[in-house]
Amino acid sequence: MLFVMLSRLVTSAVIAKIHTIDWTVELLKVDTFLAGMRGNWYGLLGKPFKDTFGHVGDGILGGLVGMKKPDNHGVPYSLTEEFVSVYRMHALLPDSLHLRNIDVLPEDNKSPPLIKEIPMNDLVGLPGEKKLSEIGVQETLVSMGHQASRALELQNYPSFLRNLVSQNIDGTERPDHVDLAALEIYRDRERQVARYNQFRRSLLLIPISKWEDLTDDKEIIKALKEVYGNDVELLDVLVGLMAEKKIKGFAISETTFVIFLIMASRRLEADRFYTSNFNEETYTKKGLEWVNTTESLKDVIDRHYPKMTKKWLNASSAFSVWDAPPNKPNPIPIYLRIPN
Ligand code: HEM
């Protein structure tokens, strides 16, 4: 039992670390953000400094992970409903998986050849689990790795999620299908998450006063007027997040970004397992070493399938498209770069 708990602790820390310094950074491809997220984990003095001198002082300079004690700023920690709302990223999903043949030899800068497209409807629920186990883990990973996600924009919601067969816990199908696009709006409303403008005001961001402040897309503005008339205060938060003009290099909206920054830091600093108990006594020597030496999802996949990653994972991050060229190393330490 103790072994199971320890494995969960170590795995959770690895997931939190990958989420902080690998996945979130891939959504926001600007160096400033990479510096910010690595700063959260390692401190602004950086990994080499932390490896050599250990944790130095509490706070961002030495990193939130390893602080002497947790700090919840006087409010019991939980993932907030605002965080759930901004994480509604179903528009990233495709309507089919492009299954690839991984048995061929890789050609320069080319994805493995396409075998067929499998509708996503066939890949969800218990039948989906069966189908994916027939396909195989490596084939699934390489196929997903070579398929770019879709954009977080309006009128881009995957069709399969608008007619989703819901299942009972035993995998049997329920008669009522789910229109997840509509359900998401309904959920935010029933949880009384603020509408878009109020949501922004609460974050001290400028609200919109007309649809043109949100987007330049004439068709979208027409659709918004059909639904909400001229009352921009009624705009649902999820619709606003998808419609919002994006900052260059960002896959997510500015509004989402602000929540991300707050929650990413808070999740680490409010948890004793990343602060007062981030030590060998709690994690064991091997466990702590495991967390400290895993830097990315690429490391995890590589540990299990080294031949496959050598053959197909060319990119710097497993969250990039896998045949993207690796990032060129920047000779200037990240914390000394001028923000772009
Ligand atoms: C095949 C992939 C996926 C399927 C079938 C799926 C399906 C669902 C369903 C059925 C719900 C519950 C709706 C409800 O009753 O309120 C849900 C909630 C949610 N999903 Fe997904 N989802 C998928 C992938 C994703 C991805 C990739 C993300 C984000 C990157 C995501 C983020 C969320 C969030 C934030 C919620 C709300 C959770 C909550 O209310 O606490 N989902 N999803």
Side-chain angles (χ1 to χ4, degrees):
M1 187 61 191
L2 194 66
F3 183 73
V4 173
M5 281 161 66
L6 182 64
S7 319
R8 281 191 188 154
L9 181 68
V10 172
T11 308
S12 303
V14 168
I15 293 172
K17 184 173 179 185
I18 290 174
H19 187 259
T20 310
I21 64 173
D22 193 7
W23 143 261
T24 313
V25 169
E26 275 304 306
L27 280 179
L28 304 146
K29 287 214 166 196
V30 279
D31 285 352
T32 327
F33 195 71
L34 176 59
M37 293 313 265
R38 287 188 72 86
N40 263 351
W41 194 274
Y42 285 120
L44 288 182
L45 293 173
K47 182 175 183 324
F49 193 92
K50 194 159 183 173
D51 286 348
T52 316
F53 299 106
H55 188 74
V56 276
D58 277 359
I60 197 70
L61 207 61
L64 299 174
V65 172
M67 285 192 333
K68 281 191 217 79
K69 55 182 176 37
D71 184 357
N72 66 11
H73 300 276
V75 183
Y77 175 77
S78 72
L79 284 181
T80 61
E81 279 174 358
E82 287 75 15
F83 189 61
V84 172
S85 300
V86 301
Y87 236 107
R88 298 186 180 280
M89 295 186 184
H90 293 112
L92 289 173
L93 295 166
D95 266 312
S96 62
L97 174 72
H98 296 187
L99 185 67
R100 302 197 173 262
N101 179 0
I102 66 167
D103 296 327
V104 295
L105 285 176
E107 284 181 55
D108 271 358
N109 289 328
K110 285 210 175 140
S111 328
L114 185 70
I115 302 175
K116 60 177 170 179
E117 292 191 19
I118 306 176
M120 286 291 282
N121 265 331
D122 297 351
L123 298 172
V124 292
L126 279 192
E129 238 178 275
K130 190 163 167 274
K131 180 106 190 149
L132 284 169
S133 66
E134 283 161 17
I135 293 171
V137 178
Q138 297 190 58
E139 284 79 357
T140 308
L141 284 174
V142 176
S143 301
M144 285 167 63
H146 285 84
Q147 193 172 347
S149 66
R150 298 194 342 182
L152 292 169
E153 281 171 12
L154 279 189
Q155 301 186 336
N156 200 27
Y157 206 85
S159 305
F160 83 97
L161 289 177
R162 305 217 45 208
N163 187 19
L164 197 62
V165 181
S166 54
Q167 273 134 351
N168 297 307
I169 295 181
D170 64 5
T172 50
E173 292 187 353
R174 294 192 193 185
D176 315 313
H177 289 198
V178 172
D179 178 348
L180 197 54
L183 185 61
E184 297 208 75
I185 305 285
Y186 181 85
R187 288 281 187 245
D188 279 348
R189 287 187 185 180
E190 75 176 355
R191 290 171 187 174
Q192 295 181 16
V193 174
R195 300 284 170 116
Y196 180 76
N197 254 359
Q198 194 50 36
F199 197 97
R200 279 183 66 89
R201 281 189 201 99
S202 314
L203 296 170
L204 306 179
L205 295 170
I206 300 167
I208 57 163
S209 50
K210 52 184 182 320
W211 299 121
E212 287 73 12
D213 294 340
L214 187 69
T215 173
D216 299 328
D217 190 322
K218 300 250 168 354
E219 252 183 64
I220 297 286
I221 293 177
K222 191 165 162 268
L224 289 169
K225 278 187 182 158
E226 274 169 28
V227 179
Y228 300 104
N230 283 327
D231 194 349
V232 292
E233 294 301 320
L234 289 179
L235 178 65
D236 289 280
V237 69
L238 183 57
V239 180
L241 298 176
M242 296 294 139
E244 199 179 301
K245 287 173 218 162
K246 305 285 185 303
I247 298 169
K248 191 170 171 282
F250 277 34
I252 61 174
S253 66
E254 175 200 38
T255 318
T256 302
F257 172 66
V258 174
I259 298 276
F260 260 48
L261 269 189
I262 301 168
M263 285 307 298
S265 311
R266 191 162 151 70
R267 178 187 53 192
L268 299 179
E269 70 176 336
D271 191 330
R272 71 184 172 93
F273 289 110
Y274 302 127
T275 51
S276 45
N277 286 89
F278 192 71
N279 53 34
E280 287 182 6
E281 289 76 61
T282 312
Y283 278 76
T284 71
K285 189 170 188 305
K286 188 79 203 158
L288 198 65
E289 195 182 292
W290 198 265
V291 181
N292 285 337
T293 53
T294 311
E295 292 288 291
S296 61
L297 178 62
K298 189 173 178 174
D299 286 349
V300 175
I301 303 177
D302 199 34
R303 201 181 286 138
H304 294 277
Y305 304 107
K307 281 194 195 131
M308 180 272 273
T309 48
K310 191 165 183 294
K311 193 168 164 191
W312 295 116
L313 210 177
N314 187 38
S316 305
S317 166
F319 295 113
S320 283
V321 180
W322 285 16
D323 51 4
N327 295 340
K328 289 205 182 77
N330 190 328
I332 305 169
I334 206 144
Y335 47 94
L336 293 180
R337 289 183 214 161
I338 299 163
N340 47 6

